[in-house]
Amino acid sequence: PLVYISILVPVPCCFAAAHKPVISVHPPWTTFFKGERVTLTCNGFQFYATEKTTWYHGHYWVEKLTLTAGNTLEVRESGLYRCQARGSPRSNPVRLLFSSDSLILQAPYSVFEGDTLVLRCHRRRKEKLTAVKYTWNGNILSISNKSWDLLIPQASSNNNGNYRCIGYGDENDVFRSNFKIIKIQELFPHPELKATDSQPTEGNSVNLSCETQLPPERSDIPLHFNFFRDGEVILSDWSTSPELQLPTVWRENSGSYWCGAETVMGNIHKHSLSLQIHVQRIPVSGVLLETQPSGGQVVEGEMLVLVCSVAEGTGDTTFSWHREDMQESLGRKTQRSLRAELELPAVRQSHAGGYYCTADNSYGPVQSVVLNVTVRETPGNRDGLVAAGATGGLLSALLLAVALLFHCWRQRKSGLLPPAPGPGESSHSICPAQVELQSLYVDVHPKKGDLVYSEIQTTQLGEEGEANTSRTLLEDKDVSVVYSEVKTQHPDNSAGKISSKDEES
């Protein structure tokens, strides 16, 4: 004999209301011969702590109450039966029929889509039949002389209708059963797709839920879920969870979404209606151009970084950098960010000028204010020029002194030197009879704007000169001075030239 047992297990996949107890019937039919006994069981006690069960027999306006210590009740009367545990709602009714006919058609209390529908043609006192014929809505469905049961696998709403069985006895007796209306119940309704926000802003998250509900009689059946967008783009594999989180959505994620639910065996599959999700984009605003180093001040030869940022704006933003005196862009970047950078590796004086940037996330470019960039001269270059000037002046002075000494030596050698002047007379020759070279001052630490003397030497005449060697150059008007002059560059000398000359007095 076939026995149907309903086991209720809470399933997190479905969104049910308050759990109802469920009545199971044994044997699992709803039509019996009079005098037979049927056992009813009130299932669902895992949801309610109770020790007694209340049974209701009849209609709401005429009911007979029975209180049992357990959750079972044995019955032999036709009618509607309900059960209730303490604190629970009443169960759905079960209609039982106890017939006095000689042949009955037995069907289960509830049949859901995907179940195997079992119909049984049964004769009183198990008298033998030679053949059985089943009809459906007046049409012959099957004729068999081997089995009195009819099995319809994968039942669906297409199997709804009016059934009847006809039995044939040994002496060609014909027995006709009662009519039985069979209605295949929906295992679960079409799911409904819900979203926490159908018009989210870019960058935010959205939670999707695929909501459906299993009946209490089949609450132990696991379901799988899937989510789709436009053209059946699969967003996730089949999962036992009816929820899906989209951590970050962008405008390209807008579209028509729907979900599907199916049994693990895959024999029952249903999908929801579509749900339109429109992701909103925030236009860019507050475009600002900054530099690194800050303030638009940079030393020649160093790197300049142009930083373009926006106060608001979502999605992919195109940043573009410009110079006022140039039509073409200096650079362009498209990225999902509120700021972007452009590097100028080694700036020159020619890079000085006004700069600005634009940002566009498909609503049109927004421009920043112009930022002036100033390029300062490298301090190391000016010091190098000063040092080079000082070195050049020293060489010039040495060369001049060597040439003068060589000239005077040739004249002394050839005897062409003039006689020494008498008292009160002055000599106009650069080669006096007696020449002494004395080092008075050497400047090795020049300052800006000062004259740089690489070396100062004097030539003095006769014994009078020997007696006054300790006097400074500025105090002696009769001495001859040989020196080299180097002028340092002033800060405002943009040409960067260094002047030098040799003088004699």
Side-chain angles (χ1 to χ4, degrees), residues 386-394 397 441-456 483-489 498-502:
V386 171
T391 303
L394 176 61
Y441 178 70
V442 176
D443 187 357
V444 295
H445 299 291
K447 298 180 179 180
K448 295 181 181 179
D450 293 341
L451 296 179
V452 179
Y453 297 90
S454 61
E455 186 173 6
I456 301 176
Y483 62 92
S484 175
E485 175 185 327
V486 177
K487 291 184 178 180
T488 62
Q489 181 185 355
I498 297 179
S499 61
S500 65
K501 62 179 180 181
D502 295 336

Side-chain angles (χ1 to χ4, degrees), residues 13 188-194 208-212 223-229 232-244 257-264 268-274:
C13 73
F188 58 89
H190 285 271
E192 180 182 3
L193 180 63
K194 294 184 178 180
L208 303 177
S209 59
C210 194
E211 298 186 3
T212 188
L223 297 180
H224 285 176
F225 300 87
N226 204 346
F227 297 83
F228 305 85
R229 186 193 75 224
E232 299 188 0
V233 177
I234 299 177
L235 298 181
S236 69
D237 294 330
W238 288 102
S239 169
T240 56
S241 173
E243 296 183 351
L244 174 69
Y257 287 74
W258 53 281
C259 70
E262 72 172 18
T263 56
V264 175
I268 306 297
H269 176 84
K270 297 180 182 181
H271 62 81
S272 69
L273 297 176
S274 62

Side-chain angles (χ1 to χ4, degrees), residues 54-65:
T54 303
W55 295 91
Y56 301 88
H57 177 213
H59 296 281
Y60 283 108
W61 55 91
V62 180
E63 286 185 324
K64 178 182 177 181
L65 274 64

Side-chain angles (χ1 to χ4, degrees), residues 352-477:
Y355 290 80
Y356 65 92
C357 70
T358 63
D360 182 11
N361 64 347
S362 77
Y363 286 101
V366 179
Q367 180 178 323
S368 71
V369 298
V370 176
L371 175 65
N372 288 318
V373 173
T374 303
V375 181
R376 302 195 310 271
E377 184 182 0
T378 306
N381 292 343
R382 181 167 62 246
D383 295 341
L385 292 175
V386 171
T391 303
L394 176 61
L395 292 175
S396 299
L398 291 175
L399 291 175
L400 180 61
V402 171
L404 178 62
L405 291 175
F406 181 73
H407 172 71
C408 293
W409 176 80
R410 287 181 59 104
Q411 286 193 345
R412 187 187 300 272
K413 182 92 173 161
S414 60
L416 297 178
L417 285 174
E425 298 180 0
S426 61
S427 174
H428 299 284
S429 173
I430 64 174
C431 296
Q434 184 178 359
V435 178
E436 293 184 11
L437 297 178
Q438 302 179 25
S439 176
L440 298 181
Y441 178 70
V442 176
D443 187 357
V444 295
H445 299 291
K447 298 180 179 180
K448 295 181 181 179
D450 293 341
L451 296 179
V452 179
Y453 297 90
S454 61
E455 186 173 6
I456 301 176
Q457 298 192 6
T458 63
T459 61
Q460 298 178 337
L461 303 179
E463 294 179 357
E464 183 180 8
E466 295 177 0
N468 298 288
T469 57
S470 62
R471 291 180 299 171
T472 63
L473 174 64
L474 296 180
E475 295 173 348
D476 194 341
K477 298 180 181 180

